[in-house]
Amino acid sequence: MSNVLKILHRDIMRILRVPAAWVIMTGLTVIPPLYAWFNIYGFWDPYGNTGNLQVAVASKDAGYQVEGVTVNMGDSVIESLRGDENFDWQFTSEAEARDGVESGKYYAAVIIPTSFTEDIVTFITDSTERPAIEYYSNEKKNAIAAKITTTGMGTLRSTINEQFINTVSAAA
């Protein structure tokens, strides 16, 4: 054991005499924790800071008339998104939404088709056609943002489900 202590003492003395060794030892002990700290801080809550992600929304929904009552689920979805602060919703036309995603102006685009309300209402009654929303994502701009906007689509679907239940309840 005494040989081990002598070797350790000799190595410490050599390190203290050589300033280049100080720089190397400091770098080896400081840089990895700094890297880990910045990495953990940067990815701590990726879904908490999505308010700056621009997502285009366009509604072409023509609405549908059920027993004398005109229903437009596309407008209801747009109104509910106006109050939502999860993303920076940009309400545009269909062409501008598609061009914006392709050019990189928007991270994603949501387009509500012309027959959206009709598909919802007839889905209840006689049709087997499910209502669908067109979703486009710009995966080239930022891979993580594409995953986050896909998760945001889940939120949008739940919003549509709530609007659907409210509309059906009001119509009944």
Side-chain angles (χ1 to χ4, degrees):
M1 184 71 174
S2 65
N3 284 339
V4 171
L5 292 175
K6 286 180 187 177
I7 293 171
L8 181 63
H9 182 276
R10 184 189 68 201
D11 287 346
I12 290 174
M13 294 308 287
R14 286 182 181 171
I15 288 174
L16 290 176
R17 288 186 195 129
V18 180
W22 295 0
V23 172
I24 293 171
M25 292 299 290
T26 304
L28 287 175
T29 57
V30 172
I31 291 176
L34 278 176
Y35 173 76
W37 184 77
F38 283 118
N39 206 7
I40 290 169
Y41 181 74
F43 291 105
W44 188 260
D45 186 16
Y47 297 104
N49 299 315
T50 59
N52 294 329
L53 295 178
Q54 290 188 344
V55 178
V57 180
S59 176
K60 302 185 307 179
D61 193 9
Y64 192 72
Q65 194 164 18
V66 180
E67 297 180 12
V69 177
T70 302
V71 179
N72 192 323
M73 290 294 295
D75 290 344
S76 299
V77 170
I78 295 289
E79 285 305 313
S80 66
L81 289 179
R82 288 191 194 279
D84 183 23
E85 296 180 0
N86 289 330
F87 293 101
D88 184 10
W89 301 104
Q90 302 293 317
F91 303 100
T92 65
S93 66
E94 177 188 10
E96 186 179 340
R98 288 178 196 245
D99 292 341
V101 170
E102 288 178 13
S103 70
K105 182 178 179 183
Y106 303 122
Y107 287 93
V110 176
I111 299 173
I112 300 171
T114 307
S115 63
F116 183 69
T117 302
E118 181 180 352
D119 290 342
I120 286 177
V121 172
T122 57
F123 181 71
I124 299 171
T125 57
D126 56 0
S127 177
T128 57
E129 178 111 12
R130 290 195 65 188
I133 292 179
E134 298 173 29
Y135 170 71
Y136 301 98
S137 178
N138 185 347
E139 295 178 4
K140 293 181 218 171
K141 187 169 184 179
N142 187 334
I144 294 172
K147 295 204 181 286
I148 291 173
T149 56
T150 301
T151 304
M153 279 302 297
T155 305
L156 181 62
R157 285 187 184 104
S158 66
T159 301
I160 291 170
N161 288 339
E162 289 174 19
Q163 292 293 328
F164 172 68
I165 291 169
N166 293 338
T167 303
V168 170
S169 299

